[in-house]
Amino acid sequence: MKLPSVEYEAPATVAAAVDLLAEHQDEASVLAGGQSLIPLLALRLARPALLIDINGLQELSGVSASNGWVAVGAMTREHVAEDSKTIADSVPLLAAALPLIGHEAIRNRGTIGGSLAHADPAAELPAVARALDAEFVVRGRSGERVIPAAEWFEGYLTTSRRADELLAEVRFPAAAPGTGVAFHEVARRHGDFAIVGLAASLTLSGGTISDARLAFAGISDVPVRASGAEDLLRGEIPSAELFDQAARRATEDIDPPADLHGSSEYRKKVAAALVRRGLQAAAENADERQ
Amino acid sequence: MAAIAAERYTGASIKRSEDPRILTGGGRYVDDVKLPGMLHAAFVRSPMAHARVLSVDVSAARALPGVVAAFTGAELEEMTVSGPDPLAALMGGPGPAPEFTLLATDKVRFVGDPVAVVVAESRYLAEDGCELVEVEYDELPPVANASTALDPGSTPLFANLGDNIARPHSRNEFGDVAATFADADRVFDFHIDVHRHQNVPMEGRGCVASYDADLGVMTVYAATQSVHVSRIAVAMRLGMPHDKVRVLAGDVGGSFGLKIGASREEQAVAAASRAVGRSVKWVEDRGENLTASGQAREESFDVRAAVSNDGDLLGLDVTMVVDTGSYPGMGTMVPDIMEAMLPGPYKLAALGFDSTAVTTNKAPYVAYRGPWASETFVRERALDLIAKDLGLDPLEIRLRNVAPRTDPPAMMITGRPLVGVTTRESLERVAQLADFPAFRRRQAEARARGRYLGIGVATFIEAAPGPRSPDGPSGPMGLETMRLRLEEDGIVALFTGQMPHGQSHQTTLAQIAADEFGVPFEQVRVVVGDTEAVPFGLTGGSRSATMTGGVALHGARQLKAKVLEFASHLMEASARDLEIVDGRVGVRGDPASAIPVSEIARQAAAGEFGADVDTDLQVEATFDGGEGGWSGGSHCAIVEVDVETGKVTVERYVVAEDCGALINPAVVEGQVRGGVAQGIGAVLLERSAYDEDGNYQSATFMDYLLPTACDVPRIEIEHLETVSLDADVNFRGVGEGGMIVAPPTIVNAIEDALAPFGVRIYEQHLPPSRILELLSGADLG
Amino acid sequence: MVDITVRVNGGTRTGSVEARKTLADFLREDLDLTGTHTGCEHGVCGACTVIVDGRAVRSCLMLAVQAAGSEVTTIEGLAPDGAMSTLQEAMWDSHSFQCGFCTPGFVMQASAFLKAHPEAGEQQIREALSGNICRCTGYQSIIDGVLLAAERNRQG
């Protein structure tokens, strides 16, 4: 399983990286952490003509907070994000999901931007981004664009990033007071991709749910917001019966894929269980964060 | 290394002499071998399950810079001696021999079947070359499963067989099967399936073949369980005299039955080396290992059980179909062992056994740790199913049916005596350790809170090496040989054909020899892995504890006698009055007289003695297994099943095992735990999956899932060393037992957890989705 | 071909590599450091684990060119001059391994983990090592080796 021949560039600036993308378009792959791309190359499933290694672009690393948003540079390593106090305090759902990504060695190289640009629907970060309506900042020759999460994930391993654009930053809204979160997944083993995963966030205000966010990993070719269930939850008082209802609503229309690790029926059942468990946990955490 | 102080080494968990190099990156595995001018090979493999090969064009590959050679299957036939796969000849059972070529020539028979080999300056370039090889296939209807294979209308994999029956149907009966079933109070009928899974050692197969044209010698650096078996395979295929082929092995990264002899690919690489006149390395990557190296265990059973109302298991009538994949080998032999072992340690009065083996378009069936393990699965599952129906406790039904340990011993209906078997003791002990009554209370409380815990127990015996046989050696695979020599520097060298790949032989055999001969542990060296240096041998079948431990013990004793006989001439004392203690030879009772063994050896080599003095301080010892004996044990698992997600957690695992006398308890425990881990893997995680067109679906570690440190609990082990059978050698084998009995132990526990739902389990692979299917399909009465 | 300079086990090493060559292959083939093993070449088994700039990394998931300018430690460099680290000694005492093929990856991963989490208990250690696959031991002896090392480190 050796990688196929490929050209290699390691640009020193974002502008140089963007120029390379503009020149080579779909013939180039961006190499960030490499934890998803290099296996694809080793299996000879991906055959780019050029690798654009952006690990030298220091300006794309870093976590900062302002105006109710937390900006995470695309090259921020997952382990750095895991250790970030800013993220722990302000984007608890992201903090909850990060330790579930693979194993420590993966997170030592893998990046926030890389995972979100790769857009594996069974991965943790896409579900988090979708749940929180994160914003994706891309840079191309013609300047910067901001793409909301709802428009970022287009299909299996496909995003709306144009071939000549580089994902530079992902912005997550800071959690409001009274927010509780849970990221749960059912995986075959600790650290594996989710068979089904759920990013859940509840904001309680005066004992009722003022905001509810639910996004699934692993039930489609993209992360899926359970908006129907969210609508059902808003304005209600948390209870087991309510969460049960939400679980049914969230899963009644889904048609998950079947593979070696689970049938469609199986994923549907597990998705419902995760909604019940996730909402219960999020509600408990919300009380703690008051 | 600081000297190890021990009253006696045997029986103690002496630190391994392998570890200093293993722990510091100093191990020498086959992929670490580098020779001058060495090239690398990669194989072109069929993407189709079943197809005719119309043409193979390697010209573009040959033209790629860095590619030195490329050979098609047809070219390799010209370069080698045609004949069956030597491993099939070694392992295969009755049944016609299918036509065989080293690589596929006119036909491919499974996804991954090798069609051509490319040799290049690097593995990277060799893979590039493989992509340029053009193969024209004409697809044939796939024979994707056993039921298709059994259909006479299915396209035969092998034209010369005419059908897909690798081993024709046969039936044997022991005892009066018809009467036993006619007279029984109850007759149960089950269909039980064991799924396909595989060895997956962390190091794949591979070799470096190096042909020296000047000397006409082929040297092969191998990853193997036997350097001699590998040598025979290569010599035969290349048409070379055996003494012109030398096989060397250093450290081997696990095998579990996979690396026996030289595979088709290794033989092809040897032929390529000879053709290009340079060393060629091939080490399989993980994709090749999962797809093409071989798979095991795909067997299905129709089981009838004749039972009394009180739970006596009177008779079993079993019909078995083995899916041997393509290229039959081990799969055609396994029914014989299963039949012999099916009664287990129980008082079975009658056994009927029907078997058929079929060929399908899947990877070939290979030996995997306890190849006959399904007999234990079937029997221990059947006992639980019967117990549930009759309202009996699973321990109770087993204790009721265990053959008592009598003298003369009870006989298995299939012919072997159950001498020294401690099944009753291990069942009782494991039950005690698990504390069934306390568990049942906890189980009831948990159920009340919607949590489902279960407990399962299973027991087994294995012929490691098996009881003494009236007409030959106890051990399978014959007499064990060892050469022992006192080197000039005082080292006691043991030359053995064993080829350790995790078994710690370099430590355990040294423990025995050190004790017996009288030298410190550090003064014994175990030499393995060179056909020039070691006698014939093979590591497998859980035989080495008895066979090799025994030959080391007796050989050391013989060598000591020889050394003392010689020393008596030097020391002017009768050999009878001499002893060797802590590496020094001296007159008993006179410590001042003692001189180092090395001095004795030096004098034997240098001095001049009369013709009546034997100065050749080495012996060639053989051992037939002595009284042999059974190994066995009982396992107990406590699991929790999450009925919403189907996930199973193994909360606790307890073992009471009996492998006779222990050479090194830590080594024994490591073998048991490793086997149990594979059993956990088989039930919860591992499956070699094919779709209905024969496409392989488990070709990476993202799909073929191995258990991790979060999947295997602490495994509590108690040793029973109860029955001595032999005056000297009571070590019995333990390598395979864990893997044989862990699957039914865990499945029994899962069924117990799901008892409130009325679930009955007739299969071995229970991933989360299957658990939920069983729950929704069960009678929720 | 790209010329690279990497600090490996405290020394400066240079090489000329194709961009596609993994760090694992560079270590094994170009630098003759065969202690690092490849068990899957797609980042799952952990046998290839080395330390890069202080952090455990799967060397099959890095290109050699990406290690230019970095500090790499392999199993051969864990302890100086033939000595063994506390962890390696503890694993020897605990009979942690059998065939040894997974061993370098476990030793490097555990070594990095213990440095960062000297007080870790069994469950944490199991989770930390759950990305390393062993086929021989069932893991208990490996965990015991790590626990023993942690205890000995605490005793100083």
Side-chain angles (χ1 to χ4, degrees):
Chain A
M1 281 161 148
K2 302 302 185 188
L3 285 69
S5 283
V6 69
E7 295 295 314
Y8 174 86
E9 295 284 348
T13 64
V14 173
V18 166
D19 281 344
L20 283 166
L21 280 169
E23 188 189 334
H24 295 274
Q25 306 268 334
D26 283 324
E27 291 293 305
S29 285
V30 174
L31 176 61
Q35 306 301 281
S36 301
L37 181 59
I38 294 181
L40 288 177
L41 290 168
L43 291 164
R44 299 199 174 201
L45 293 174
R47 310 294 297 246
L50 171 69
L51 287 179
I52 303 172
D53 184 343
I54 61 168
N55 283 274
L57 304 181
Q58 305 288 12
E59 71 223 74
L60 294 185
S61 260
V63 180
S64 61
S66 68
N67 295 334
W69 288 81
V70 173
V72 182
M75 275 306 296
T76 307
R77 303 279 178 199
E78 283 155 358
H79 81 87
V80 170
E82 213 179 328
D83 291 338
S84 159
K85 189 168 188 313
T86 307
I87 289 175
D89 288 343
S90 304
V91 198
L93 186 57
L94 179 57
L98 283 161
L100 295 172
I101 299 173
H103 300 278
E104 189 220 319
I106 302 285
R107 300 196 294 278
N108 282 338
R109 293 290 299 170
T111 63
I112 302 295
S115 172
L116 288 166
H118 183 64
D120 188 321
E124 292 79 5
L125 296 187
V128 170
R130 192 72 182 83
L132 297 180
D133 288 319
E135 293 183 345
F136 292 76
V137 182
V138 296
R139 281 195 214 141
R141 274 254 185 82
S142 43
E144 206 174 80
R145 282 201 301 147
V146 180
I147 304 167
E151 290 163 35
W152 177 254
F153 301 100
E154 285 191 340
Y156 182 67
L157 303 187
T158 312
T159 66
S160 55
R161 177 187 71 85
R162 291 196 282 258
D164 64 339
E165 290 175 321
L166 184 69
L167 176 62
E169 184 179 274
V170 186
R171 298 175 187 156
F172 297 88
T179 298
V181 302
F183 194 103
H184 291 165
E185 65 183 35
V186 172
R188 294 297 299 276
R189 301 168 305 182
H190 183 260
D192 284 347
F193 277 108
I195 303 176
V196 185
L198 180 75
S201 175
L202 287 178
T203 307
L204 299 186
S205 176
T208 52
I209 298 169
S210 59
D211 191 28
R213 305 297 186 101
L214 295 171
F216 285 114
I219 59 152
S220 181
D221 58 353
V222 291
V224 174
R225 277 287 282 276
S227 344
E230 291 173 357
D231 292 339
L232 190 154
L233 289 163
R234 233 168 267 121
E236 301 295 329
I237 296 168
S239 74
E241 295 70 41
L242 177 69
F243 296 156
D244 223 29
Q245 261 186 294
R248 264 178 278 123
R249 183 70 185 88
T251 56
E252 67 193 7
D253 293 329
I254 64 173
D255 185 23
D259 67 11
L260 207 57
H261 303 299
S263 63
S264 183
E265 255 319 292
Y266 174 72
R267 285 186 154 87
K268 224 171 157 160
K269 286 198 175 132
V270 169
L274 286 178
V275 172
R276 286 190 295 274
R277 295 181 189 186
L279 289 174
Q280 184 64 39
E284 280 163 21
N285 293 339
D287 288 339
E288 285 159 26
R289 278 177 70 93
Q290 285 287 21
Chain B
M1 187 166 84
I4 292 167
E7 192 55 36
R8 189 174 154 73
Y9 300 111
T10 308
S13 295
I14 303 295
K15 280 164 52 157
R16 299 197 325 160
S17 48
E18 294 89 333
D19 280 342
R21 71 177 185 273
I22 295 293
L23 287 165
T24 59
R28 289 260 351 271
Y29 300 86
V30 76
D31 196 27
D32 302 337
V33 172
K34 273 182 213 166
L35 300 177
M38 185 175 77
L39 299 169
H40 299 256
F43 287 88
V44 178
R45 295 182 180 277
S46 171
M48 312 222 162
H50 199 190
R52 267 186 280 270
V53 178
L54 300 177
S55 66
V56 183
D57 183 356
V58 295
S59 53
R62 284 183 179 142
L64 184 69
V67 170
V68 169
F71 302 106
T72 65
E75 287 167 333
L76 278 162
E77 285 309 289
E78 300 293 304
M79 291 154 61
T80 58
V81 175
S82 291
D85 180 47
L87 190 60
L90 181 75
M91 296 282 227
E99 57 199 295
F100 176 85
T101 53
L102 191 57
L103 301 192
T105 50
D106 59 327
K107 234 192 145 174
V108 289
R109 297 179 175 91
F110 71 102
V111 170
D113 204 349
V115 171
V117 62
V118 175
V119 179
E121 300 285 348
S122 73
R123 175 67 186 229
Y124 288 76
L125 285 167
E127 289 188 17
D128 293 345
C130 285
E131 289 187 327
L132 297 176
V133 173
E134 285 175 26
V135 185
E136 236 187 298
Y137 295 103
D138 181 24
E139 218 168 339
L140 291 167
V143 182
N145 50 52
S147 57
T148 307
L150 286 166
D151 181 348
S154 61
T155 310
L157 264 68
F158 298 94
N160 76 321
L161 293 191
D163 60 18
N164 287 310
I165 307 301
R167 172 188 166 133
H169 172 260
S170 65
R171 178 176 174 79
N172 290 325
E173 290 196 1
F174 305 86
D176 191 338
V177 178
T180 302
F181 275 79
D183 296 343
D185 293 330
R186 300 283 307 274
V187 173
F188 291 84
D189 253 286
F190 315 117
H191 179 86
I192 294 179
D193 284 313
V194 180
H195 64 296
R196 203 170 190 82
H197 48 290
Q198 56 194 111
N199 320 56
V200 202
M202 290 318 295
E203 177 204 43
R205 301 168 303 156
C207 69
V208 180
S210 185
Y211 185 68
D212 182 326
D214 295 329
L215 297 175
V217 169
M218 172 71 70
T219 304
V220 179
Y221 298 80
T224 178
Q225 291 178 226
S226 168
V227 288
H228 281 281
V229 176
S230 290
R231 174 207 238 185
I232 292 167
V234 170
M236 280 176 59
R237 184 66 58 193
L238 266 50
M240 293 177 68
H242 291 201
D243 69 339
K244 291 294 194 179
V245 176
R246 181 179 188 182
V247 178
L248 299 167
D251 292 298
V252 179
S255 178
F256 314 107
L258 182 64
K259 298 170 183 170
I260 297 200
S263 64
R264 296 162 75 198
E265 290 95 334
E266 289 161 81
Q267 295 170 47
V269 166
S273 170
R274 183 168 64 176
V276 302
R278 288 168 69 173
S279 305
V280 180
K281 171 187 278 188
W282 170 72
V283 177
E284 72 178 350
D285 62 31
R286 188 54 62 189
E288 294 179 277
N289 172 259
L290 291 171
T291 306
S293 68
Q295 293 151 6
R297 298 278 199 275
E298 188 165 8
E299 295 129 15
S300 64
F301 301 85
D302 288 309
V303 182
R304 297 180 69 231
V307 179
S308 77
N309 283 327
D310 295 323
D312 298 301
L313 182 64
L314 305 165
L316 284 172
D317 199 339
V318 175
T319 301
M320 166 181 174
V321 177
V322 185
D323 181 331
T324 71
S326 50
Y327 304 104
M330 177 87 208
T332 55
M333 172 192 167
V334 85
D336 296 322
I337 324 177
M338 289 219 200
E339 174 190 273
M341 291 299 297
L342 249 171
Y346 300 109
K347 296 175 287 188
L348 200 70
L351 175 69
F353 189 84
D354 253 69
S355 67
T356 313
V358 297
T359 57
T360 61
N361 293 124
K362 299 177 191 169
Y365 184 113
V366 297
Y368 175 34
R369 202 171 200 172
W372 62 89
S374 296
E375 54 79 27
T376 293
F377 185 73
V378 164
R379 189 188 58 247
E380 297 297 306
R381 258 300 51 231
L383 281 169
D384 260 34
L385 288 163
I386 293 163
K388 268 193 191 65
D389 194 287
L390 297 179
L392 291 172
D393 177 271
L395 276 166
E396 194 191 324
I397 196 173
R398 287 171 169 85
L399 288 169
R400 189 185 180 85
N401 282 289
V402 171
R405 192 164 70 248
T406 53
D407 191 5
M411 296 296 290
M412 289 170 81
I413 193 73
T414 47
R416 299 188 85 171
L418 288 169
V419 57
V421 171
T422 55
T423 301
R424 174 168 300 277
E425 288 89 332
S426 71
L427 275 170
E428 286 170 347
R429 189 64 189 130
V430 90
Q432 237 178 341
L433 291 167
D435 196 349
F436 267 70
F439 174 78
R440 291 293 180 207
R441 286 191 297 273
R442 193 159 72 91
Q443 182 182 49
E445 282 158 18
R447 278 182 192 159
R449 286 180 283 112
R451 290 181 66 165
Y452 298 91
L453 277 58
I455 193 165
V457 73
T459 194
F460 81 105
I461 54 171
E462 65 161 324
R468 181 163 195 77
S469 155
D471 42 66
S474 303
M477 304 169 249
L479 282 182
E480 183 74 0
T481 308
M482 179 182 280
R483 188 154 41 88
L484 299 91
R485 185 167 73 207
L486 180 62
E487 307 283 13
E488 255 182 78
D489 57 357
I491 294 285
V492 177
L494 312 186
F495 298 87
T496 171
Q498 289 301 310
M499 194 60 237
H501 42 284
Q503 290 84 350
S504 314
H505 290 152
Q506 290 179 300
T507 299
T508 55
L509 298 175
Q511 289 174 252
I512 293 170
D515 277 338
E516 202 58 38
F517 190 83
V519 292
F521 173 76
E522 296 76 14
Q523 211 168 318
V524 180
R525 179 166 60 236
V526 179
V527 178
V528 300
D530 182 352
T531 48
E532 303 283 285
V534 305
F536 185 91
L538 179 155
T539 299
S542 301
R543 61 192 294 279
S544 70
T546 312
M547 305 306 291
T548 323
V551 79
L553 186 150
H554 287 288
R557 195 175 282 177
Q558 290 164 29
L559 181 66
K560 176 172 164 178
K562 217 178 201 195
V563 168
L564 290 182
E565 180 56 42
F566 170 74
S568 71
H569 295 278
L570 285 183
M571 300 177 76
E572 291 169 2
S574 158
R576 219 178 325 115
D577 297 326
L578 292 175
E579 60 178 10
I580 308 180
V581 175
D582 204 30
R584 300 168 74 81
V585 182
V587 177
R588 198 172 290 108
D590 181 11
S593 69
I595 61 175
V597 153
S598 55
E599 181 55 27
I600 306 289
R602 200 190 57 74
Q603 296 231 25
E608 282 178 6
F609 300 88
D612 60 323
V613 177
D614 186 353
T615 57
D616 181 28
L617 301 182
Q618 69 177 334
V619 300
E620 185 113 346
T622 61
F623 184 57
D624 69 356
E627 289 305 311
W630 296 96
S631 267
S634 300
H635 289 209
C636 180
I638 292 174
V639 305
E640 178 166 2
V641 182
D642 181 332
V643 298
E644 283 196 314
T645 64
K647 292 214 68 180
V648 177
T649 306
V650 184
E651 179 193 285
R652 190 175 172 213
Y653 199 99
V654 185
V655 172
E657 67 85 30
D658 182 355
C659 62
L662 286 85
I663 306 168
N664 186 315
V667 169
V668 170
E669 287 159 14
Q671 290 294 313
V672 174
R673 293 193 178 112
V676 170
Q678 287 177 316
I680 291 173
V683 176
L684 300 181
L685 293 166
E686 299 177 42
R687 186 162 80 100
S688 311
Y690 285 88
D691 71 12
E692 61 279 356
D693 293 320
N695 296 310
Y696 191 53
Q697 302 184 298
S698 313
T700 73
F701 272 167
M702 288 164 300
D703 290 312
Y704 195 93
L705 304 177
L706 295 178
T708 73
C710 286
D711 299 303
V712 185
R714 287 206 161 262
I715 294 163
E716 302 156 47
I717 302 175
E718 210 166 89
H719 304 288
L720 310 175
E721 287 186 53
T722 46
V723 183
S724 279
L725 298 171
D726 187 275
D728 294 298
V729 181
N730 284 290
F731 321 118
R732 296 197 269 279
V734 79
E736 289 165 294
M739 210 288 161
I740 291 170
V741 74
T745 304
I746 295 166
V747 174
N748 288 352
I750 292 172
E751 192 181 77
D752 184 65
L754 300 181
F757 302 94
V759 166
R760 293 287 180 270
I761 302 177
Y762 303 98
E763 62 208 272
Q764 195 179 108
H765 188 56
L766 300 169
S769 57
R770 183 65 186 142
I771 298 274
L772 288 202
E773 276 174 19
L774 288 170
L775 281 167
S776 60
D779 179 10
L780 298 168
Chain C
M1 299 294 270
V2 182
D3 291 326
I4 57 173
T5 302
V6 193
R7 297 270 304 162
V8 182
N9 297 335
T12 302
R13 307 296 298 266
T14 58
S16 188
V17 295
E18 283 186 289
R20 63 170 165 168
K21 189 165 223 179
T22 62
L23 176 59
D25 285 341
F26 175 67
L27 292 168
R28 290 180 52 74
E29 291 171 14
D30 297 60
L31 301 188
D32 286 325
L33 292 168
T34 56
T36 302
H37 297 157
T38 52
C40 75
E41 295 184 297
H42 51 283
V44 179
C45 79
C48 67
T49 305
V50 298
I51 312 286
V52 176
D53 296 330
R55 307 208 66 109
V57 155
R58 286 154 201 246
S59 61
C60 76
L61 294 189
M62 258 186 92
L63 303 179
V65 294
Q66 293 186 291
S70 284
E71 290 269 356
V72 177
T73 308
T74 71
I75 183 82
E76 292 94 336
L78 197 61
D81 303 322
M84 280 204 242
S85 65
T86 303
L87 176 64
Q88 287 162 310
E89 286 276 2
M91 286 172 152
W92 190 12
D93 289 337
S94 304
H95 279 256
S96 288
F97 298 105
Q98 294 177 29
C99 85
F101 199 77
C102 71
T103 301
F106 268 99
V107 174
M108 299 312 283
Q109 182 66 66
S111 177
F113 179 73
L114 274 185
K115 261 212 189 86
H117 306 274
E119 302 295 319
E122 177 163 346
Q123 189 51 37
Q124 255 185 296
I125 292 170
R126 281 181 182 272
E127 284 176 15
L129 297 180
S130 64
N132 288 70
I133 310 283
C134 170
R135 196 54 165 161
C136 293
T137 66
Y139 303 102
Q140 188 167 330
S141 54
I142 301 174
I143 306 298
D144 284 342
V146 179
L147 284 167
L148 182 60
E151 189 190 306
R152 286 179 176 171
N153 283 336
R154 279 193 290 275
Q155 284 163 9

